C-alpha cells in the first residue's frame, strides 16, 4: 500500500532582505513516513524556534520545501492539481494554537461549520448538513444544542478549540496537523481535548501529527516522538522510551525542564548553557549549549540506533549502528497504548 505521507530530506530556508539577504535554516533534512494502514499519533517536539510550525506549514502545502519532497499518498504535494488537490485539501486538516484564529466574530458556529460543508459539497440539503454538524460536534464531546447558533465570544476557550477540531473532523480527514492545539487552552481543559484527539485516531482512524513544546502532553497523547532542535532531528522513537530514558543531551534538557510527578529522576542539566545566538550552522546544532560537546561535534553526527525503538543524533552513542534518516520511522511504534 502507498504510504500516507513520506518526507524525503525536507529542508526549509527562509531568506529575508534583498540586499543583505539573511538566511534562516528552519528545517534540515527531515525524513519521515506515516503508513495508511496504521493510523498513529506522532509528536514533533522542540522549543520555540525549532521549526515546528514550519513543518506544519510545509505539510499543509502552505509553503514549499527549499529542498526535498513531501509525498502524500504517492504524489508530490507541490504537483497536485484539480481533484487530487481538492482531495488533499480535504484529507489533510489543521488545528492551530489559537482557538480564535479561524473564527470570524460576526458569524455563528453554524456558519463556521457550514462553510467547509458547502465548499467540499459534503451534504446536498440543509438537513443532511445539520446531521454532519451534529455528528462532528458529538465526536469532539460537544452537545450541538449548546453551541450551534452561538457567536465565538459566547463560547469558552475549550469549546472553541473543540469546534476547531469538529470543523476538521467534518471533512473526514486522514491526517490532522495539530500545531500546539492546547497551549492557549486552560490547563484544566487540556487533558480532555487531547483525549478527543486520541479518540479521533482510535475511533476514526485519523493519523495525527501533534506539534508541541510540552513533553508532558506528548507523553499522554502520542505513540512516537521526534525531537527537533534548530530544525534538525536530535532524537526519535517510542514516546515512553524517549521520555523515560532520553539519550540526547538536548532531550534530557527538555525532559528536565518540566516537573514530572511520575518520573523521579534528574540529569544534572544545570550544566547546560543558555542558548547562544549566531552559532555556526554546521555540526551538531546543540553543541554550543551541550555540556558533553567534543571536537567531533563540529561535524554533523549521524543518527545512531540505540535500541529497537530509539535513535539519537549524538556521538555519545557512536558505538551503536547508524540508521539512515529515511529509515527513522521504522523505529516508531504505531499503536496507541492507552494510559491514565
Ligand atoms: P517553532 O514553531 O518551533 O517555534 P518556527 O517554524 O516558527 O518554529 O520557526 C523556525 C525558525 O524559522 C525560527 O528561527 C524563525 O524565526 C524562522 N522563521 C519562521 N517563519 C519565518 C518566516 N516567514 N520568515 C523568516 N524566518 C522565519
Ligand atoms: Mg510554532
Amino acid at each position: 500500500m502507498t504510504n500516507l505521507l513520506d518526507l524525503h530530506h525536507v529542508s526549509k530556508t527562509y531568506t529575508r532582505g534583498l540586499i543583505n539577504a539573511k538566511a534562516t535554516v528552519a528545517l534540515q533534512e527531515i525524513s519521515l513516513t506515516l503508513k495508511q494502514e496504521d493510523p498513529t499519533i506522532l509528536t514533533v517536539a522542540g522549543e520555540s524556534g525549532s521549526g515546528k510550525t514550519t513543518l506544519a506549514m510545509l505539510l499543509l502545502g502552505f509553503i514549499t520545501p527549499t529542498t526535498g519532497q513531501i509525498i502524500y499518498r504517492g504524489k508530490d504535494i507541490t504537483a497536485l492539481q484539480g481533484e487530487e488537490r481538492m482531495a488533499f485539501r480535504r484529507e489533510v486538516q489543521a488545528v492551530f494554537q489559537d482557538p480564535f484564529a479561524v473564527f470570524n466574530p460576526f458569524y455563528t458556529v453554524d456558519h463556521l461549520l457550514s462553510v467547509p460543508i458547502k465548499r467540499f459539497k459534503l451534504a446536498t440539503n440543509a438537513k443532511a448538513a445539520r446531521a454532519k454538524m451534529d455528528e462532528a460536534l458529538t465526536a469532539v464531546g460537544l452537545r450541538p444544542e449548546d453551541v450551534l447558533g452561538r457567536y465565538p465570544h459566547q463560547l469558552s476557550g475549550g469549546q472553541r478549540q473543540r469546534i476547531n477540531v469538529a470543523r476538521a473532523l467534518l471533512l473526514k480527514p486522514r491526517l490532522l496537523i495539530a500545531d500546539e492545539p492546547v497551549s492557549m487552552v486552560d490547563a484544566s481543559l487540556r487533558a480532555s481535548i487531547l483525549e478527543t484527539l486520541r479518540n479521533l485516531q482510535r475511533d476514526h482512524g485519523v493519523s495525527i501529527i501533534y506539534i508541541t513544546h510540552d513533553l508532558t502532553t506528548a507523553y499522554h497523547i502520542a505513540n512516537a516522538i521526534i525531537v527537533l532542535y534548530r530544525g534538525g532531528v536530535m532524537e526519535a522513537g517510542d514516546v515512553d522510551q524517549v521520555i523515560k530514558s532520553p539519550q540526547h543531551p538536548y532531550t534530557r534538557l527538555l525532559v528536565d525542564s518540566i516537573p514530572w510527578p511520575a518520573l523521579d529522576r534528574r540529569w544534572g542539566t544545570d550544566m547546560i548553557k543558555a542558548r547562544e545566538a549566531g552559532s555556526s550552522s554546521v555540526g551538531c546544532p546543540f553543541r554550543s549549549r551541550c555540556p558533553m560537546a567534543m571536537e567531533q561535534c563540529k561535524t554533523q553526527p549521524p543518527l545512531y540506533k540505540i535500541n529497537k525503538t530509539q535513535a539519537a543524533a549524538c556521538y555519545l552513542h557512536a558505538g551503536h549502528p547508524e540508521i539512515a534518516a529515511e529509515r527513522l520511522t521504522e523505529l516508531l511504534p504505531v499503536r496507541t497504548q492507552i494510559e491514565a
Side-chain angles (χ1 to χ4, degrees):
M1 199 188 240
T2 9
N3 289 326
L4 181 66
L5 185 73
D6 283 302
L7 268 66
H8 293 298
H9 304 279
V10 171
S11 299
K12 179 71 185 177
T13 303
Y14 295 105
T15 2
R16 268 173 297 193
L18 285 173
I19 316 275
N20 291 312
K22 190 176 161 296
T24 307
V25 180
L27 269 190
Q28 272 191 74
E29 288 281 319
I30 304 296
S31 294
L32 65 90
T33 296
L34 296 182
K35 296 200 170 127
Q36 300 210 56
E37 62 271 30
D38 294 310
T40 192
I41 304 184
L42 170 67
T43 283
V44 175
E47 294 169 313
S48 163
S50 56
K52 304 183 300 295
T53 296
T54 299
L55 180 64
M57 295 296 165
L58 286 165
L59 292 173
L60 292 162
F62 295 168
I63 57 176
T64 52
T66 310
T67 57
Q69 284 177 304
I70 301 175
I71 312 291
Y72 177 73
R73 301 181 72 201
K75 296 262 165 72
D76 188 320
I77 63 168
T78 57
L80 294 176
Q81 284 179 342
E83 277 185 21
E84 279 176 351
R85 189 170 173 75
M86 203 62 174
F88 174 78
R89 286 261 164 266
R90 186 169 55 77
E91 293 172 11
V92 182
Q93 289 298 314
V95 177
F96 291 110
Q97 178 170 17
D98 181 358
F100 257 124
V102 303
F103 288 94
N104 180 322
F106 300 109
Y107 290 132
T108 60
V109 171
D110 316 42
H111 181 83
L112 180 87
L113 296 178
S114 67
V115 171
I117 292 180
K118 282 188 193 132
R119 174 158 181 236
F120 293 98
K121 304 188 178 66
L122 303 177
T124 47
N125 57 50
K127 194 160 165 246
R130 172 64 201 255
K132 291 255 178 230
M133 291 185 200
D134 285 1
E135 189 192 350
L137 290 169
T138 311
V140 300
L142 289 171
R143 297 196 317 173
E145 60 273 27
D146 289 347
V147 294
L148 290 176
R150 295 210 176 190
Y151 288 92
H153 71 268
Q154 298 173 315
L155 302 167
S156 70
Q159 282 174 322
R160 280 195 293 266
Q161 198 57 309
R162 277 171 199 278
I163 288 167
N164 281 337
V165 178
R167 184 169 167 275
L169 186 62
L170 268 180
L171 301 170
K172 301 251 180 280
R174 292 171 191 262
L175 177 61
L176 188 68
I177 314 290
D179 188 359
E180 311 241 18
V182 294
S183 61
M184 287 174 68
V185 171
D186 286 347
S188 59
L189 293 167
R190 267 177 214 160
S192 73
I193 292 179
L194 292 175
E195 179 71 32
T196 303
L197 291 178
R198 208 161 57 182
N199 292 343
L200 292 189
Q201 182 255 337
R202 201 178 46 207
D203 306 336
H204 298 262
V206 183
S207 287
I208 300 176
I209 295 187
Y210 173 72
I211 294 176
T212 186
H213 66 275
D214 172 12
L215 288 184
T216 331
T217 58
Y219 185 67
H220 288 298
I221 188 180
N223 314 124
I225 188 167
I226 290 181
V227 179
L228 287 183
Y229 181 72
R230 294 207 190 166
V233 174
M234 300 292 108
E235 181 159 359
D238 173 279
V239 74
D240 278 9
Q241 183 77 32
V242 169
I243 289 176
K244 287 186 180 149
S245 177
Q247 297 297 320
H248 193 288
Y250 176 61
T251 320
R252 292 181 187 177
L253 167 75
L254 278 186
V255 170
D256 260 5
S257 61
I258 33 177
W260 288 98
L263 306 176
D264 181 26
R265 31 162 299 272
R266 301 227 35 106
W267 285 96
T269 37
D270 353 320
M271 294 191 311
I272 290 182
K273 299 165 199 147
R275 183 169 178 158
E276 276 169 28
S279 54
S280 154
S281 64
V282 292
C284 173
F286 190 59
R287 73 176 196 278
S288 61
R289 290 171 71 184
C290 184
M292 323 289 241
M294 308 173 271
E295 193 55 27
Q296 243 182 327
C297 305
K298 289 182 183 166
T299 58
Q300 174 62 42
L303 280 161
Y304 293 104
K305 181 175 173 180
I306 293 160
N307 57 52
K308 261 186 1 212
T309 59
Q310 191 171 15
C314 177
Y315 288 118
L316 292 173
H317 301 286
H320 294 278
E322 291 181 22
I323 178 167
E326 57 269 37
R327 292 191 44 216
L328 194 62
T329 23
E330 290 169 21
L331 306 179
L332 309 181
V334 289
R335 301 278 171 212
T336 312
Q337 322 99 335
I338 303 298
E339 47 198 311

